[in-house]
Amino acid sequence: MAEETGAPQATDPDSPWSAQVLRRTDFHAAIRRNERHTFWLCVLMVAIGGGLGFVVGWAIEVYYRSNFEAGALHTPESAIDALTFFSPWGVYGAAAMVLAGAFWIFVALTVGDRILLAVAGAREVTVDEEPVLHNVVEEMAIASGLPKPRVAVMETPALNAFATGLKPERAAVAVTRGLIDQLERDELQGVVGHEMGHIANNDILYATAVGVIVGLIALVADGALRSLRHGAFHGGRRRGGGKGGGGAALVAIIVLAVVFIVAPLAARLVQMAISREREYLADATAVKFTRNPHGLIGALEKIDRWNAPFPGANRATQHLFIANPFKNFGDRSGALLSTHPPINRRIERLRDLA
């Protein structure tokens, strides 16, 4: 997310600007650009969900017409007529997916922070219990200009952290016991600064909304594929009766199968693109808050060495952590399906800021 600008060369040969290029990070421009990219990725995500709903409605209409309304569908021409691509049922299906997504996003954003803390096994701690951690969180809150979030600890030796909350006033930062025990203070500042960056950049809202839509798409696709395997295809052959009706139903089933395989994959790719962009931005924002890239660099190096799964992590929340608790995505990993950029690339960008 860093932007590089060239500084004019000074006429004084002893000037520090002479024959040099100034590298700087324009954080405000980076945030604006990231927000634009994420907005359009979210629009694409909603479009994928709406498209899936349309295809479901269209296929149900074709299946119904070819098997129940069309006793006279015995010719290829009648089968083609059954495959209408302007489907009122498709419109209803698309609207249902969008409304269902909006409803579940509302639910997730209303109680999602409490659910995530509970699922991760994070326990809120007081100042008396963790004075150093509270002090670091307070420092980063002051640096960011945000209210101090709630502080929680996950009792695991793994090295990880995440932030949650619909808005800064309701945010919480959770870190593992391993981070507290193994990181130096400046490294802990870097990690907490990274999580405060997610809060400042409104990443939690996007992550929650996108995660809900991806989950809904996957749920609908999985349920529909199961119904196709266990009943729809064989039922269509039995009830179709006529050659034309069966042909129309078969085409609808094939289209459904293809869409139900492609839609979740496409949604997942969009989700991962959003996650990777926001990890880079949170790293840069942490440097803005701490004024010290080396703290986060040291923390990421230790996390890279000792990153491991732990009981509070799961596949649904893996993209929220500072590092994926299940995989270390290297340069040769499937980048499109990774929840985080490779740690070595994140460190390289931070070293540029140093």
Side-chain angles (χ1 to χ4, degrees):
M1 302 303 299
E3 292 186 346
E4 297 178 9
T5 58
Q9 295 185 5
T11 55
D12 181 1
D14 295 327
S15 168
W17 298 112
S18 180
Q20 292 184 12
V21 174
L22 173 64
R23 298 170 65 87
R24 70 174 177 86
T25 298
D26 186 343
F27 292 98
H28 297 292
I31 290 172
R32 288 194 299 270
R33 183 171 63 252
N34 188 275
E35 293 290 341
R36 288 195 302 271
H37 290 173
T38 304
F39 171 79
W40 287 112
L41 286 171
C42 287
V43 169
L44 178 59
M45 183 76 73
V46 173
I48 292 172
L52 177 63
F54 181 88
V55 173
V56 170
W58 167 82
I60 291 174
E61 181 178 8
V62 171
Y63 187 81
Y64 178 82
R65 289 182 60 194
S66 62
N67 287 292
F68 296 97
E69 285 187 351
L73 288 180
H74 299 300
T75 66
E77 291 78 8
S78 56
I80 293 173
D81 182 63
L83 290 172
T84 175
F85 290 98
F86 177 76
S87 168
W89 289 28
V91 175
Y92 300 150
M97 280 291 291
V98 173
L99 290 176
F103 172 75
W104 284 113
I105 288 171
F106 173 78
V107 172
L109 295 179
T110 302
V111 297
D113 55 338
R114 286 174 285 177
I115 293 174
L116 284 174
L117 289 173
V119 168
R123 177 181 63 90
E124 290 191 42
V125 293
T126 65
V127 177
D128 292 335
E129 291 176 294
E130 297 292 341
V132 174
L133 178 60
H134 267 273
N135 184 252
V136 169
V137 172
E138 187 170 9
E139 288 174 348
M140 293 299 98
I142 293 172
S144 65
L146 298 174
K148 180 185 175 184
R150 291 168 290 156
V151 181
V153 173
M154 296 169 279
E155 297 295 341
T156 172
L159 274 65
N160 227 311
F162 73 92
T164 183
L166 169 60
K167 51 188 177 181
E169 293 77 13
R170 288 179 45 189
V173 171
V175 303
T176 62
R177 179 63 61 187
L179 278 180
I180 297 174
D181 292 341
Q182 297 192 42
L183 297 191
E184 302 294 335
R185 184 185 177 90
D186 65 331
E187 295 170 344
L188 186 58
Q189 283 180 327
V191 171
V192 173
H194 174 98
E195 299 307 331
M196 290 298 299
H198 280 308
I199 297 170
N201 299 331
N202 211 19
D203 291 345
I204 309 303
L205 174 63
Y206 284 106
T208 302
V210 170
V212 167
I213 296 173
V214 171
L216 181 63
I217 291 172
L219 182 65
V220 171
D222 183 66
L225 281 175
R226 289 177 184 273
S227 68
L228 286 178
R229 285 198 299 266
H230 296 297
F233 177 71
H234 297 292
R237 291 179 62 183
R238 286 196 302 269
R239 291 189 296 269
K243 184 177 180 181
L250 179 59
V251 172
I253 289 170
I254 292 173
V255 171
L256 271 180
V258 172
V259 170
F260 288 158
I261 291 171
V262 173
L265 178 60
R268 183 72 172 169
L269 291 175
V270 175
Q271 181 190 26
M272 296 305 97
I274 293 174
S275 297
R276 291 191 300 273
E277 285 295 317
R278 293 199 165 266
E279 288 303 315
Y280 280 132
L281 181 57
D283 286 346
T285 307
V287 176
K288 179 183 178 182
F289 294 160
T290 64
R291 305 296 180 183
N292 176 24
H294 299 289
L296 184 54
I297 289 173
L300 288 175
E301 288 174 341
K302 290 181 179 179
I303 291 171
D304 191 31
R305 287 197 298 270
W306 295 314
N307 186 25
F310 56 95
N314 60 65
R315 301 289 176 180
T317 60
Q318 61 185 347
H319 63 289
L320 297 177
F321 291 91
I322 190 171
N324 189 301
F326 298 104
K327 292 181 181 179
N328 249 341
F329 294 102
D331 286 330
R332 301 200 312 177
S333 66
L336 288 177
L337 292 175
S338 63
T339 57
H340 294 65
I343 286 183
N344 62 328
R345 291 187 185 175
R346 294 168 66 179
I347 291 174
E348 286 176 5
R349 290 197 181 199
L350 290 169
R351 283 178 176 153
D352 284 343
L353 300 182

